[in-house]
Amino acid sequence: QSTGSSGINAEYGGGYDVILVETVGAGQSETAVANMTDLFTLLIPPGSGDELQGIKKGIVEVADMVIVTKADGNLKTAARLAKTEYSRALRLLRSHGGDRWTPFVMTVSVLTGEGLGDVWDEMCIYKKEMIEKGMFSKRREGQRLTWMWNHLQDDLLDALKEDPSVRRKMRSLEREVMSGVIMPGAAAKLILTAFLDR
């Protein structure tokens, strides 16, 4: 995570207006990236009408925009169906009201280019709205805090691994955890104690 935030910071420092962060798979990496970006977009392919079953609820909940891809040829009807299903799901999951951004679903085709301009326009509207409501700066503040704690966790873990005596303790406790002699939480506390008492 900190590697990702460091990379994003480097790009900001390089003066880039738009930075794309891509993840693979579905799981923790997506929600982590949602905390590092200004706009979190979920890209999904059209399917047989049961796409929602294969997507984790948590990822949909944090999405600022959902884009159904491959909306062309034989898949155009399936893409429209997926758009309808995700629109309904978002209304249920994000029925919070208030001043928060209300995400909606769009369809695009890279093959024909249809919808790509609309997606960019929507992204610009999103940024404008977020700035006007004071939410853009709040999100950036939250990002900086997230990055700070990510860096701290990584630095502490590196420090633990670099200390010879603590490293020996870690290896011993790892074996005990794998064999079921000690619980993971208890082992973690012993490692931390060994580090603080060194």
Side-chain angles (χ1 to χ4, degrees), residues 4 16 60 111 161 182:
Y16 291 95
V60 178
L111 189 64
K161 292 178 178 178
I182 188 172

Short mmCIF file of all heavy atoms in Angstrom, two decimals, residues 4 16 60 111 161 182:
data_model
loop_
_atom_site.label_atom_id
_atom_site.label_comp_id
_atom_site.label_asym_id
_atom_site.label_seq_id
_atom_site.Cartn_x
_atom_site.Cartn_y
_atom_site.Cartn_z
N GLY A 4 2.29 2.03 -3.29
CA GLY A 4 1.33 2.69 -4.16
C GLY A 4 1.20 4.16 -3.85
O GLY A 4 1.20 5.00 -4.75
N TYR A 16 1.77 15.81 -13.02
CA TYR A 16 0.75 15.18 -13.85
C TYR A 16 -0.65 15.58 -13.38
O TYR A 16 -0.93 15.61 -12.19
CB TYR A 16 0.89 13.66 -13.81
CG TYR A 16 2.12 13.14 -14.50
CD1 TYR A 16 3.28 12.88 -13.78
CD2 TYR A 16 2.12 12.91 -15.87
CE1 TYR A 16 4.43 12.41 -14.42
CE2 TYR A 16 3.25 12.44 -16.51
CZ TYR A 16 4.40 12.19 -15.79
OH TYR A 16 5.52 11.73 -16.42
N VAL A 60 -18.23 -2.43 -4.36
CA VAL A 60 -19.30 -1.63 -4.95
C VAL A 60 -19.63 -0.45 -4.05
O VAL A 60 -19.90 0.66 -4.52
CB VAL A 60 -20.56 -2.50 -5.19
CG1 VAL A 60 -21.70 -1.66 -5.76
CG2 VAL A 60 -20.24 -3.65 -6.14
N LEU A 111 -13.81 -0.56 -28.32
CA LEU A 111 -13.79 -0.95 -29.74
C LEU A 111 -14.36 0.15 -30.63
O LEU A 111 -13.78 0.51 -31.65
CB LEU A 111 -14.57 -2.25 -29.93
CG LEU A 111 -14.48 -2.91 -31.31
CD1 LEU A 111 -13.06 -3.37 -31.59
CD2 LEU A 111 -15.44 -4.10 -31.38
N LYS A 161 12.16 -6.71 11.44
CA LYS A 161 12.89 -7.71 10.67
C LYS A 161 14.40 -7.45 10.64
O LYS A 161 15.18 -8.37 10.44
CB LYS A 161 12.34 -7.77 9.24
CG LYS A 161 10.93 -8.32 9.16
CD LYS A 161 10.42 -8.31 7.72
CE LYS A 161 9.03 -8.90 7.63
NZ LYS A 161 8.49 -8.86 6.25
N ILE A 182 0.84 -21.65 19.78
CA ILE A 182 0.48 -20.32 20.28
C ILE A 182 -0.44 -19.64 19.29
O ILE A 182 -0.36 -19.89 18.08
CB ILE A 182 1.76 -19.47 20.54
CG1 ILE A 182 1.41 -18.15 21.24
CG2 ILE A 182 2.50 -19.21 19.23
CD1 ILE A 182 2.64 -17.38 21.69
#
